Amino acid sequence: MPPLEGYPVMDNNVSRRQFLGTIAAAGAGTAAAATVANAQSHPPGWSGTQRVEKIATTCEMCFWRCGVLASVADGKVIRLEGNPDHPLTKGRLCARGNAGTRLLYDPDRLKYPLLRTGKRGDGQFKRISWNEALDFLTSKLKALAAEHGPESVAFFPHGLSARFFSTLMKAYGTPNSAEPSFAQCRGPREVGYTLTFGRELGSPEPLDLEESKLIVLIGSHLGENVFTSQITAFATALSRGAKVIAVDPRFSTAASKADWWLPIRPGTDIALLLAWMHVLIGEDLCDKEYIARYAQGFKELEAHVREFTPEWAAAITELPAAQIRETARAMGTAKPAVLVHPGRHVTWYGDDTQRARAMAILTALLGSWGRKGGIFLPTPIPRGAFELPDFPESPRGRADGAGTRFPLASEELGVTNGLVDATVTAQPYPIKAWIVYGQNVLESIPEPQKTRKAIEALDLMVVVDVLPVEQINYADLVLPEATYLERYDSPSIVTTAKQPFVSVRQPACEPLYESKPGWWIAREMAKRMGLEAWFPWHTPEEHLAQIIAPMEISVEELRNRGALAFPGRPYLDDQASDAESPVRTGSGKIELYSQELKDLGADPLPRYTPVEDPPTGYFRLIYGRSPVHSFARTQNNEALNALMPDNEVWLSTRSAKDLGLRDGERVTLENTDGVKSLPVRVKVTEGIRRDCVYLVHGFGQGSKSLHLAFRRGASDNALMTHVKVDPLMGGTGMRGTFVRPVKDPTAH
Ligand code: MGD
Ligand code: MGD
């Protein structure tokens, strides 16, 4: 992996101390790279004769939303660094955060509103004014509402700025809105933990890594998955001697630091979890006092897991029974300071809510929910609001299946793939238009062939983005949003930090070209549509003041510091004796046994369901993150592209030998439907099971207008032509794709 030379990805010999040093060095290196990249060095406060102003704001290079200080000279952002006053991220910023100026100054950025002139997909546009663009959209939305009802417009948002447009869409009258953060990311986890504890985990996850004695990572590939405060807390835990169990079919960065690496057969984690419960209960290693006080359903659970011995699980997971026993005992000894990491991207095999339930139950057996070193509790902070009229109710209900076909899906976050299905089938009613806002529907929703079919059936497609990603080629109207460094957004209110806090996003510079902030676009549309009643503020500062009014802080202080924290009550023992029970299930107890699932006809206690094996000659496609890229949004970023211009496909040494493939050789990946990837280099390694191959997500992009990212590497999403949908919440299980490497005849 050339760009990350020295990064502790696969080296068995890297000690913990070296790892921690490398993390620090990686941070420092990135900062140094950013300084070199900015090619300037300034005395504090000045750049030559120019005053350098530091603006505190919030990053959006990923969704952890770290605190940033933007150094601005002569209206130009010359450097980004972490904001030391930020209560969560405390001055730390990752490679992607440091590279934010390269998004701001990306020459490929969307610059003007564009109206399609050619065929859908051709990418032929003419430049139009904002007035023309907004008038066009207004007339289209009015006509769609009159002819097909406002529900015929589906909204695909993601990111802070989309919140203003979400208000507009609700006021317009459509209930059809869906983000990939649910059905392609953490939805099953939120549903599984809510069924068990009565409340979801949220983002950032309330994980007490620093205080943990034992960290259990089931897939979570910390180190490649980089959220600054989470990774630094992980490093702190390691330096304090915390032990790590990493369950991963691949020797991940986290596995290389672990005390136990369990290279599990993919898709069999529920069997492992059940066997762990069997040992904990059978050997009397659970936190009995905690269970008696807070939980119900223990007897049923005890009976349920009796047959799930380590030997039973060993045959399924291909892990030694002795290792399953040993790791369960390690948890029993370290409890309650055991952090069973709940995962984040957990839409894997279609039974994901049940796997999340198993993880939640294991957490409860160890007594670590609400306890030091486990999962801590959120602390609410008061939040102001405007008095708005009620949003119109749709008589036809939602089209994505949330609450109906998928009974436990979030109605707030929606089911993206449910909306794609509804568009293709016109069931339960026709969807005629999509508004895509900060979401990449072709890269983030699997079964892209279905997404394209849905788009072809639309009367109207609008994309609000910052870059000319492939999906804009299918749009009738493209609106260029100002980047996060050029705009205000809704403040970010975080209750899931040990000290809850509010942070501000404010412009560090004026929007470039003719790009406009999301709040402005939404408000201008509301004026044209007669929906101003839902926008009873005139400026974003006024909006901010109202939201933070009950917090007893001033706008000025917040803008100066970037983020302000409040006292937290993270543990069960901190809760006031008269406070509402921290467990918010119907029974008021942690539900080891779920009557709610039983009533839905689902397993009230998790059960292992076998996954399909790859056909002969094929490998299971698994995927994950690189520390220097976010999803499919940073591959065109000059600084990050220089660090990692493309991805490579991991293949085990044995499989490579069988196939006659050498390290560095180029192949295409072909799935069982005959869909082929772009050419990609092979990484031959001992660090992956023989039955899998691995790709970093986000590469292999199809837009010619992205000069650095176009056709570099292979797209995992393009190969995902089949998914297994979780019947409870609609999540797309994305690890049932099987591919075979085929030598690329065009390779040199
Ligand atoms: P996962 O998909 O759970 O993602 O990051 P995670 O939540 O950590 O984990 C991928 C790992 O699962 C890989 O190491 C893979 O080998 C392993 N795996 C594959 N199949 C199985 C299996 O059957 N069982 C087990 N036990 N393991 C398996 C995603 C997270 O990352 C998310 S959701 C977001 S929003 C952030 N995105 C992001 C980013 O884009 N870039 C960077 N640098 N960091 C990020 N952090 C976050
Ligand atoms: P991104 O690739 O970041 O992923 O799903 P998305 O959020 O859709 O696409 C974001 C889009 O917003 C890009 O087009 C980007 O140019 C644009 N954008 C960036 N900043 C702004 C802005 O400030 N304003 C506007 N208007 N647009 C902006 C992420 C989702 O993907 C998640 S959270 C996960 S965990 C899943 N991961 C995943 C995976 O690992 N593999 C596959 N195949 N699919 C996945 N889908 C999910």
Side-chain angles (χ1 to χ4, degrees), residues 17-29:
R17 192 170 296 280
Q18 284 169 307
F19 172 61
L20 304 182
T22 319
I23 285 186

Side-chain angles (χ1 to χ4, degrees), residues 63 158 161 180 184-185 345 437-440 443-444 464-467 469 471 481 487 623 625 631-633 697 716-717 720 734:
F63 298 115
H158 209 184
S161 67
Q184 282 72 45
C185 183
H345 172 68
Y437 200 121
Q439 185 181 144
N440 189 335
E443 291 296 337
S444 309
V464 188
D465 209 301
V466 290
L467 288 172
V469 292
Q471 64 188 0
E481 185 168 30
R487 65 179 195 238
Y623 53 88
R625 316 281 156 196
F631 313 106
R633 64 167 58 192
H697 167 62
D716 59 339
N717 206 52
M720 292 177 186
M734 291 148 77

Side-chain angles (χ1 to χ4, degrees), residues 62-63 94 96 184-186 217-222 224-227 247-250 252 262 264-269 341 343-346 348-349 355 620 622-632 688 694 697 735:
C62 84
F63 298 115
C94 73
R96 297 158 296 149
Q184 282 72 45
C185 183
R186 54 197 168 90
L217 300 173
I218 299 173
S220 298
H221 58 324
L222 304 187
E224 288 145 299
N225 154 355
V226 170
F227 280 143
V247 184
D248 198 311
R250 189 179 61 95
S252 61
L262 276 57
I264 194 164
R265 188 175 140 234
T268 64
D269 297 76
H341 193 301
R344 185 165 169 122
H345 172 68
V346 289
W348 295 357
Y349 299 99
R355 188 181 64 255
R620 183 181 303 278
I622 57 175
Y623 53 88
R625 316 281 156 196
S626 149
V628 300
H629 281 290
S630 286
F631 313 106
I688 189 163
Y694 175 83
H697 167 62
R735 294 194 176 153

Side-chain angles (χ1 to χ4, degrees), residues 548-570:
I548 67 167
M551 297 179 193
E552 296 175 8
I553 56 174
S554 74
V555 170
E556 200 192 359
E557 196 186 0
L558 182 58
R559 289 188 51 187
N560 286 339
R561 302 276 301 279
L564 292 169
F566 302 86
R569 292 184 302 280

